[in-house]
Amino acid sequence: MSAESGSGRSEARSRQRSAAGNIAFAAGSVLVLTTMTLGAFAGVYLTTHLADHSFLSPAVPADGRGALVIGGIAFGGLAGLFLPLLVLGLFGGTAEKPRLRPTEAVRKMLTVLVLGVYLVLVSGLVAQLARIFPEGLTVLLSVFAVGFGWIPLALLPWQRFGLADISDRLSSRGEPKSHEPD
C-alpha cells in the first residue's frame, strides 16, 4: 500500500514541477518578447532621429528614411532580445551551464551592439539607393539586405576574437567534450 501512495505523490509532484516550469517559461517568453519589441521601438526612434536631426541627416535621402528604419528595427530588436537572456545568464546557472561572469556578459552584449550597428550601416548603404529607386523598392531591398546582412559575419573566424564559446555552447547541448585528438 505504501508503494501506491508513493507513486501517486511522485506523479503529483512531477505535474507541479511541469506546471511551474510552464509558468516560468511563459513568463520568460513574455519578458524576452517585451524587451525585443521595446528595443525595436527604441531602434526606430534612434534611426529616425539620426536621419532627421543629426549631422547624418544630409547623407540620408528623404525616400531612404524607411530603409534606415529597417536597420533600426534590427538593431533594437537584437539588443532587446539578448539583454534579458544575458541578465538571466548572469543569475541562473546549472552544473551543465555555469553562470556568466560579468565581463563575459559585457563582451557578449558589446558584440550584439556591434552587430546591430553593422546592420544599421548596411541599411544606410541601401538607403542611398533611394536616389535612384522609388521609396517602396528601397525599403524592400533594405529588408533583404538587413535580413541577409549577417551572412558575411558568419564567415569570420570567431575563435580569433574570443567568441567561439557561443557556438560551443550551442553545439554541445550537454554532451561531454573530448579534448583528445582523433
Side-chain angles (χ1 to χ4, degrees):
M1 177 142 185
S2 65
E4 291 176 11
S5 64
S7 66
R9 279 189 268 169
S10 172
E11 188 177 314
R13 284 185 186 162
S14 67
R15 281 190 211 147
Q16 279 183 331
R17 286 186 197 138
S18 68
N22 289 343
I23 291 170
F25 178 76
S29 297
V30 167
L31 173 72
V32 168
L33 289 174
T34 302
T35 57
M36 190 172 69
T37 304
L38 291 175
F41 279 117
V44 167
Y45 174 76
L46 177 69
T47 53
T48 56
H49 189 70
L50 281 174
D52 293 339
H53 305 293
S54 74
F55 64 94
L56 294 176
S57 60
V60 178
D63 288 344
R65 193 168 171 263
L68 197 63
V69 167
I70 300 297
I73 292 170
F75 172 70
L78 276 175
L81 173 69
F82 279 99
L83 183 65
L85 296 177
L86 288 175
V87 169
L88 289 173
L90 281 171
F91 297 111
T94 63
E96 298 170 349
K97 283 185 170 180
R99 293 187 308 167
L100 287 175
R101 294 186 315 259
T103 56
E104 190 179 11
V106 168
R107 185 185 69 200
K108 288 182 181 185
M109 194 63 203
L110 285 176
T111 304
V112 168
L113 291 176
V114 167
L115 174 64
V117 168
Y118 168 76
L119 292 176
V120 169
L121 290 175
V122 166
S123 68
L125 288 174
V126 175
Q128 300 306 312
L129 293 175
R131 300 178 196 278
I132 303 169
F133 298 125
E135 182 179 7
L137 183 59
T138 305
V139 170
L140 182 66
L141 290 174
S142 178
V143 168
F144 284 107
V146 169
F148 294 112
W150 60 271
I151 291 175
L153 297 176
L155 301 175
L156 290 175
W158 292 107
Q159 294 82 6
R160 289 189 179 180
F161 302 118
L163 299 170
D165 60 336
I166 296 171
S167 63
D168 290 344
R169 284 184 187 226
L170 292 175
S171 65
S172 68
R173 296 287 176 180
E175 298 171 3
K177 288 190 176 184
S178 173
H179 295 291
E180 299 174 13
D182 292 334

